């Protein structure tokens, strides 16, 4: 009696040679963006009316440096979110006026985010068929950061924009008379935009295990 013919069985060999790539939007990165968005929204909710900030009737020259310093402290405590917004606008306008520096800085941030910080620790970095270890990736990104900050116009642009923004805040804080402000009715020191520091730390903790595994 003849044996039944053997049926051919095809295995998924073609799929084995092409492993799926991990998505760029890792859970840690999505958590960071979510935390960043909520922190910015919460910060804007504590913004003071801009009419109070630009009230010309409340402007007066301080008598001495001690009074100017006292005004700066009180005004910063009250107009904290407005001042940080002005500082960010100055920085953003400076970067937008220099597209090359903006593109270079965004490329550097993207390289750190997707090649090291938010890259899964179990996924090696492969470029042109060569596998780079986490230490080599970290050293390469560090060298790239030094080159971008100190050997291009990005560093000088960030420093000059920060100095301009800081000067605007100090000048306004020194000349704005804070007697008409309700300084007792203010949010805590870590409220508003400054809460983003804690929010960023919480979001970064989502990527903590992956980063700790590389160190």
């Amino acid at each position: 009696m003849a044996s039944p013919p053997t049926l051919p069985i095809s295995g998924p060999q073609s799929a084995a040679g092409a492993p799926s790539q991990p998505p760029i939007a890792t859970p840690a990165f999505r958590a960071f963006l979510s935390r960043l968005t909520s922190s910015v929204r919460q910060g804007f909710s504590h913004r003071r009316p801009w009419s109070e900030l630009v009230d010309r009737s409340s402007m007066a020259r301080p008598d001495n440096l001690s009074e100017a310093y006292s005004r700066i402290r009180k005004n910063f405590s009250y107009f904290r979110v407005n001042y940080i917004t002005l500082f960010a606008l100055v920085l953003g306008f400076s970067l937008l006026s220099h597209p090359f520096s903006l593109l270079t800085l965004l490329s550097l941030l993207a390289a750190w985010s997707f090649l090291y910080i938010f890259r899964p620790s179990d996924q090696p970095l492969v470029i042109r068929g060569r596998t780079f270890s986490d230490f080599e990736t970290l050293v390469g990104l560090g060298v790239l950061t030094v080159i971008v900050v100190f050997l291009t116009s990005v560093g000088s642009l960030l420093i000059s924009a920060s100095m301009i923004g800081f000067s605007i805040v100090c000048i306004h804080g020194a000349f704005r008379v804070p007697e008409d402000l309700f300084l007792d009715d203010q949010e805590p020191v870590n409220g508003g935009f400054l809460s983003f520091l804690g929010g960023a730390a919480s979001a970064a903790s989502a990527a903590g295990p992956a980063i700790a595994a590389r160190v």
Side-chain angles (χ1 to χ4, degrees):
M1 183 176 181
S3 59
T6 304
L7 297 177
I9 300 176
S10 61
Q13 297 177 356
S14 59
S20 59
Q21 297 294 332
I24 294 179
T26 60
F29 183 69
R30 290 196 297 266
F32 178 80
L33 289 181
S34 176
R35 184 66 180 180
L36 174 62
T37 303
S38 62
S39 297
V40 172
R41 290 178 179 176
Q42 181 184 4
F44 274 113
S45 66
H46 294 283
R47 185 183 67 247
R48 303 296 182 178
W50 291 102
S51 57
E52 295 185 13
L53 188 75
V54 297
D55 186 9
R56 298 183 58 181
S57 61
S58 299
M59 296 293 178
R61 187 178 62 181
D63 295 333
N64 48 56
L65 292 178
S66 178
E67 182 180 359
Y69 178 72
S70 177
R71 288 184 181 181
I72 292 175
R73 290 188 57 185
K74 293 179 180 179
N75 285 319
F76 183 80
S77 178
Y78 187 82
F79 294 112
R80 177 168 54 250
V81 177
N82 303 73
Y83 284 159
I84 295 177
T85 303
L86 287 175
F87 187 89
L89 288 176
V90 172
L91 186 61
F93 179 79
S94 300
L95 290 174
L96 289 176
S97 61
H98 298 78
F100 175 77
S101 298
L102 177 60
L103 181 61
T104 303
L105 185 60
L106 291 178
S107 301
L108 180 62
L109 294 177
W112 272 102
S113 298
F114 299 129
L115 298 182
Y116 190 80
I117 298 177
F118 297 109
R119 178 174 59 86
S121 58
D122 57 346
Q123 296 291 339
L125 178 63
V126 180
I127 299 178
R128 294 183 178 271
R130 186 184 186 280
T131 302
F132 293 87
S133 65
D134 294 323
F135 179 75
E136 292 174 334
T137 304
L138 180 61
V139 172
L141 290 174
V143 173
L144 180 63
T145 302
V146 172
I147 293 176
V148 169
V149 173
F150 294 100
L151 299 183
T152 66
S153 59
V154 175
S156 59
L157 178 64
L158 293 177
I159 293 175
S160 59
S162 300
M163 293 180 62
I164 293 175
F166 183 76
S167 300
I168 293 176
V169 171
C170 289
I171 292 175
H172 180 273
F175 281 82
R176 177 62 164 85
V177 180
E179 275 70 15
D180 62 327
L181 304 180
F182 297 95
L183 299 178
D184 294 335
D185 184 22
Q186 57 189 351
E187 65 269 17
V189 176
N190 60 348
F193 267 109
L194 296 185
S195 64
F196 167 68
L197 299 177
S202 300
S205 63
I211 297 177
R214 301 190 181 106
V215 179

